[in-house]
């Protein structure tokens, strides 16, 4: 898995609440056997006219934000479908971090497994960051996972919380499955007890 | 100590609690479908990993399958075929395309008795919450987690907070579980359940049939919670007994003995308690682009400028622009040109019966294309045995093969840009039923009524 330690970048402001994963990557582009190649279709409905040409007023079609590695978004970002195509598309576009007042649960977990750090900050802070992000090329944000801090362009530091396991996976680029399999003895012990306790559960299926 | 239903199931599956607060949770059942699994199998193959317990997974194609009898487009056919090939390679049982057991994962899982009370159930699909109706701890996962489950039969999780939604009041005729679900979502908001496991309780839930409970739990994710559970009771056991993969004989006795202990104990503590009264609830129609944006069919499109909360006001403005609706428009003046009766929310036999009861002896309005897509091959057969297909066809509805169809709109069934659809599915998101499509979520009876009238009508006037 791709590690994340620190990113410094302009940030694209997307001041919309409840941006769902169908908006992040419409399902029609999710018909694919690959993880890669979805960046051009990220936010397709917001980013492009029906004929495929770019909507010039959309933030990701404008300089400097078409190269942003950070997205500042509204509340409940990533709600709806569990499709991991959403973080795949965001990562392929170039995003490494998303800042929002809140995230949908499934999307939040999916980000960590794809080298994207979701950062939760209070709504009032995000509103302020949104304004700073809109200032353009000189408004550089720094997000550091090691110290769990975001430094805004105006120099203000905002500490954020991250679950310790997820932080470690992301910092080290850990293979989560490999780590679980390394502790397979615990799974075997559980299964032995479970088979005695709930034989019907272990047998059916 | 008084314990909740959620805690009883969670605690029964903890393999390991780690010092960092994460939990390795054992997973009993895993449903696999065509849209979110190919990358998981590729990664397992690349790493040389095998399925730990192949029979704990069950694969069925649903998202991409054609429902109109035509062959799948080549890019869909390749991915459908890949599911069955991947499942075979890893030893995972398959309900093959073309067999009567094929259908939407969240319809066939319960139908086969694959999903049981007290189990942990996952699937690479957010509507896995459906299975909470049986008292299972069921939640949607991403593709990387699909891979993790196949390889390890576990997932790394953090314990969510707990919320109980107690529903009271008996809705009148013509008011369905779908309307109750929309009312619940409206009451807590589209993100109201985030970070929580929900338990639905109270007299209204206790009185619900199994399929109604599935509709309610299915929509849990639309309130932001990954899982929504209902304690198993006699209704649950009656529904499950004799299902092909359900326990039988001594296993059934042992299982039901455990299932009877799963209800939340009196005095069990929840992080949040919500009460919803649905007496007097009217049939709902969504007017916006998230399922919390709903109103009674007798009501009107709200005026965003009259909404006090700035976030909700902004969301309403955006919704009305996308939906091309003016504030104050009577819901009964809105005219859908498409009607979709189907999806993991509302494509079970009782849903089709409710829609057929309205369609019987009537005709779909001119200019409306209405389709009925049963949730599984078995639902389709059962409906045909009752003559529901004839009722629909004689009324001018199309009668389809099972699949997700126009709910996710990637199998070729979609709503054309700018058109309006009365849909029994679960999401009215922008572009969900096709780019530029405008979705109004309703119950099956309300969808059938809209097809007949050519506009939204109060189905209570038609039954």
């Amino acid at each position: 898995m791709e590690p994340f330690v620190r990113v410094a970048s302009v940030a694209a402001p997307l001041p919309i609440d409840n941006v769902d994963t169908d908006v992040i990557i419409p399902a029609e582009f999710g018909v694919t056997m690959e993880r890669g190649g979805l960046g051009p279709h990220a936010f397709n409905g917001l980013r492009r006219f029906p004929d495929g040409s770019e909507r010039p007023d959309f933030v990701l079609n404008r300089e400097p934000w078409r190269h942003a590695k950070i997205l500042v978004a509204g509340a409940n970002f990533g709600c709806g479908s569990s499709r991991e195509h959403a973080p795949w598309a965001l990562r392929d576009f170039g995003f490494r971090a998303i800042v929002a007042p809140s995230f949908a649960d499934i999307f939040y977990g999916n980000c960590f497994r794809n080298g994207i750090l979701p950062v939760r900050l209070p709504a009032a802070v995000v509103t302020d960051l949104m304004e700073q992000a809109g200032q353009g090329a000189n408004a550089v944000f720094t997000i550091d996972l090691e110290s769990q801090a975001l430094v805004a362009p105006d120099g203000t530091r905002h500490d954020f919380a991250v679950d310790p396991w997820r932080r470690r996976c992301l910092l080290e680029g850990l293979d989560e499955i490999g780590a679980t399999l390394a502790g397979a003895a615990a799974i075997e012990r559980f299964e032995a007890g479970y088979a005695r306790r709930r034989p019907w559960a272990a047998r059916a299926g | 100590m008084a314990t909740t239903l959620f805690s009883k199931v969670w605690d029964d599956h903890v393999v390991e609690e780690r010092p960092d607060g994460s939990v390795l949770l054992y997973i009993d059942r895993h449903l696999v479908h065509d849209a979110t699994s190919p990358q998981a199998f590729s990664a397992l193959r690349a790493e040389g990993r095998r399925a730990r317990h192949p029979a704990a997974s069950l694969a069925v194609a649903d998202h991409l399958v054609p429902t109109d009898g035509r062959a799948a487009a080549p890019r869909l056919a390749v991915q459908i075929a890949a599911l069955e090939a991947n499942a075979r390679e890893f030893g995972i049982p398959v309900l093959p395309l073309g067999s009567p057991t094929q259908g939407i994962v969240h319809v066939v899982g319960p139908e086969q008795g694959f999903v049981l009370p007290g189990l942990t159930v996952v699937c690479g699909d957010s509507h896995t919450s459906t299975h909470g109706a049986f008292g299972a701890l069921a939640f949607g996962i991403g593709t990387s987690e699909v891979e993790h489950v196949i390889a390890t039969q576990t997932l790394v999780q953090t314990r969510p907070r707990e919320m109980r939604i107690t529903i009271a009041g008996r809705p009148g005729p013509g008011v369905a579980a779908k309307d109750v679900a929309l009312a619940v979502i409206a009451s807590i908001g589209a993100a109201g359940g985030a970070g929580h496991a929900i338990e639905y309780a109270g007299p209204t839930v206790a009185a619900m049939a199994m399929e109604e409970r599935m509709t309610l739990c299915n929509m849990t994710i639309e309130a932001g919670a990954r899982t929504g559970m209902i304690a198993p009771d006699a209704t649950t056991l009656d529904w499950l007994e004799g299902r092909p993969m359900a326990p039988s004989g001594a296993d059934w006795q042992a299982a039901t003995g455990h299932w009877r202990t799963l209800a939340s104990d009196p005095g069990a503590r929840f992080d949040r308690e919500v009460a919803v009264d649905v007496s007097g609830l009217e049939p709902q129609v969504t007017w916006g682009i998230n399922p919390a944006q709903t109103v009674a069919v007798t009501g009107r499109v709200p005026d965003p400028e009259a909404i006090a909360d700035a976030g909700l006001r902004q969301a309403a403005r955006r919704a009305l622009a996308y939906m091309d609706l003016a504030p104050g428009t009577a819901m009964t003046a809105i005219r859908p040109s498409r009607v979709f009766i189907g999806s993991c929310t509302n494509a079970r036999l009782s849903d089709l019966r409710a829609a057929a009861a309205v369609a019987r002896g009537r005709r779909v309005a001119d200019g409306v294309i209405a389709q009925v897509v049963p949730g599984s091959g078995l639902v389709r057969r059962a409906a045909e045995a009752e003559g529901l297909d004839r009722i629909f066809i004689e009324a001018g509805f199309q009668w389809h093969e099972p699949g997700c169809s126009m709910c996710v709109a990637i199998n070729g069934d979609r709503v054309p840009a700018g058109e309006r659809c009365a849909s029994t599915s679960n999401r009215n998101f922008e572009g969900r039923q096709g780019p530029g499509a405008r979705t109004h979520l309703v119950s099956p009876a309300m969808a059938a009524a809209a097809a007949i009238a050519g506009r939204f009508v109060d189905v209570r006037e038609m039954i």
Side-chain angles (χ1 to χ4, degrees):
Chain A
M1 197 193 77
E2 184 183 21
F4 177 104
V5 181
R6 187 173 182 273
V7 66
S9 166
V10 295
L14 188 67
I16 307 171
D17 287 348
N18 300 314
V19 170
D20 57 71
T21 54
D22 277 270
V23 167
I24 296 171
I25 183 76
E28 58 179 314
F29 302 109
V31 180
T32 170
M33 314 262 276
E34 310 295 329
R35 284 176 146 98
L38 293 172
H41 308 300
F43 298 110
N44 192 69
L46 299 174
R47 203 164 141 207
R48 298 183 196 282
F49 291 111
D51 70 0
S53 61
E54 290 186 349
R55 295 178 189 266
D57 56 338
F58 184 59
V59 64
L60 299 184
N61 292 330
R62 296 164 58 195
E63 296 294 345
W65 301 291
R66 64 164 69 237
H67 307 292
K69 294 177 182 167
I70 301 170
L71 182 69
V72 186
N76 198 28
F77 188 78
C79 61
S81 161
S82 63
R83 66 186 69 149
E84 201 159 312
H85 306 68
W88 295 338
L90 294 171
R91 180 66 198 92
D92 196 47
F93 179 89
F95 288 119
R96 296 304 317 270
I98 305 165
V99 181
S102 58
F103 294 88
D105 295 346
I106 303 175
F107 175 81
Y108 184 78
N110 284 343
C111 283
F112 284 92
R113 296 183 195 92
N114 291 283
I116 296 175
L117 174 66
V119 176
R120 273 193 286 245
L121 287 171
V125 171
V126 174
T127 302
D128 172 55
L129 297 180
M130 199 80 80
E131 277 175 28
Q132 295 193 51
Q135 286 163 12
N138 295 324
V140 172
F141 292 68
T142 305
I143 299 177
D144 188 310
L145 179 56
E146 200 112 57
S147 59
Q148 294 184 218
L150 175 151
V151 178
D154 67 1
T156 320
R157 176 189 161 114
H158 302 279
D159 294 322
F160 56 86
V162 192
D163 170 71
W165 169 251
R166 285 172 165 149
R167 176 174 177 273
R168 191 189 143 203
C169 285
L170 205 43
L171 280 174
E172 297 178 14
L174 197 70
D175 166 18
E176 204 178 356
I177 297 173
T180 300
L181 288 173
I187 302 174
E188 279 157 27
R189 274 195 305 277
F190 175 89
E191 285 175 339
Y194 192 63
R196 282 193 297 274
R197 198 164 77 243
R198 315 263 178 251
W200 51 271
R203 256 202 294 282
Chain B
M1 198 185 107
T3 309
T4 62
L5 162 63
F6 168 83
S7 289
K8 289 177 185 184
V9 182
W10 176 277
D11 293 345
D12 203 30
H13 291 84
V14 173
V15 172
E16 199 171 59
E17 291 198 48
R18 296 159 169 185
D20 62 15
S22 65
V23 166
L24 191 63
L25 196 70
Y26 196 72
I27 303 301
D28 293 302
R29 301 285 189 271
H30 175 216
L31 291 154
V32 188
H33 67 78
D34 45 358
T36 59
S37 67
Q39 296 87 350
F41 286 111
S42 305
L44 288 167
R45 198 176 291 118
E47 296 291 330
R49 288 171 176 152
R50 303 169 52 212
R52 183 174 177 86
H53 292 302
S57 292
L58 182 63
V60 64
D62 58 3
H63 281 60
L64 308 182
V65 303
T67 65
D68 57 4
R70 278 184 282 214
R75 70 194 187 100
L76 302 176
V78 166
Q79 194 161 327
I80 294 166
L83 175 75
E84 297 195 6
N86 284 331
R88 273 195 301 275
E89 180 186 338
F90 285 83
I92 292 169
V94 185
L95 302 174
L97 202 56
S99 83
T101 53
Q102 180 269 337
I104 305 172
V105 273
H106 308 311
V107 176
V108 304
E111 206 168 61
Q112 294 300 315
F114 182 70
V115 171
L116 300 170
L119 300 188
T120 48
V121 180
V122 297
C123 174
D125 189 284
S126 62
H127 292 107
T128 308
S129 58
T130 307
H131 310 288
F134 293 88
L137 171 53
F139 54 91
I141 57 177
T143 297
S144 298
E145 289 178 303
V146 167
E147 190 186 331
H148 198 128
V149 170
I150 293 173
T152 72
Q153 212 54 49
T154 66
L155 283 174
V156 181
Q157 296 288 297
T158 47
R159 194 183 186 108
R161 293 187 295 279
E162 296 183 55
M163 180 191 302
R164 177 161 59 189
I165 300 180
T166 303
I167 309 176
R170 181 158 298 216
V175 183
K178 179 64 158 288
D179 300 307
V180 173
L182 289 169
V184 167
I185 297 163
S187 82
I188 67 170
H196 289 80
I198 289 177
E199 178 180 342
Y200 297 104
T204 309
V205 177
M208 279 182 172
M210 213 53 239
E211 299 190 352
E212 296 177 305
R213 295 179 188 185
M214 283 190 253
T215 299
L216 177 62
C217 290
N218 173 276
M219 298 285 287
T220 304
I221 186 67
E222 312 313 333
R226 279 203 301 171
T227 193
M229 307 172 77
I230 296 171
D233 59 10
T235 301
T236 321
L237 271 54
D238 287 348
W239 200 91
L240 281 172
E241 191 167 14
R243 300 266 161 194
M245 297 170 91
S248 57
D251 274 349
W252 175 260
Q253 294 307 320
T256 53
H258 173 58
W259 298 345
R260 289 194 180 92
T261 69
L262 290 177
S264 289
D265 299 327
R269 214 196 123 270
F270 291 81
D271 298 285
R272 189 176 166 202
E273 293 258 20
V274 175
V276 178
D277 186 349
V278 295
S279 45
L281 180 68
E282 299 186 277
Q284 300 289 299
V285 183
T286 65
W287 50 266
I289 53 174
N290 76 56
Q293 293 174 322
T294 180
V295 69
V297 64
T298 54
R300 291 175 181 277
V301 174
D303 180 357
E305 306 319 311
I307 297 174
D309 179 272
L312 294 178
R313 184 167 61 243
Q314 189 62 32
R317 282 186 192 139
R318 192 178 168 78
L320 295 201
Y322 182 81
M323 295 296 287
D324 190 29
L325 289 172
T329 305
M331 295 312 288
T332 51
I334 299 172
R335 309 184 73 88
S337 54
R338 298 276 173 153
V339 173
F340 171 62
I341 298 173
S343 87
C344 58
T345 311
N346 278 135
R348 298 181 182 82
L349 186 59
S350 57
D351 298 314
L352 304 190
R353 283 178 182 155
V358 174
R360 185 189 300 270
R362 296 187 169 112
R363 287 290 304 172
V364 170
D366 287 344
V368 174
I369 297 174
Q371 63 185 59
V372 183
V373 184
S376 72
L378 293 177
V379 168
R380 189 171 194 268
R381 280 189 176 184
E384 288 174 352
E386 294 181 10
L388 302 187
D389 59 323
R390 298 312 315 163
I391 293 172
F392 285 123
I393 292 165
E394 282 162 19
F397 290 78
Q398 300 171 8
W399 179 245
H400 282 237
E401 303 285 340
C404 297
S405 183
M406 213 183 266
C407 172
V408 65
I410 51 177
N411 73 329
D413 299 338
R414 60 155 68 170
V415 177
E419 290 198 33
R420 217 174 268 294
C421 182
S423 179
T424 68
S425 55
N426 37 58
R427 292 195 170 128
N428 50 354
F429 296 164
E430 291 174 58
R432 171 78 180 185
Q433 293 192 291
R438 298 178 176 126
T439 302
H440 298 270
L441 302 177
V442 288
S443 73
M446 281 289 289
I452 303 298
R455 60 184 180 85
F456 288 108
V457 288
D458 188 341
V459 70
R460 293 173 297 181
E461 295 163 6
M462 294 176 72
I463 54 175

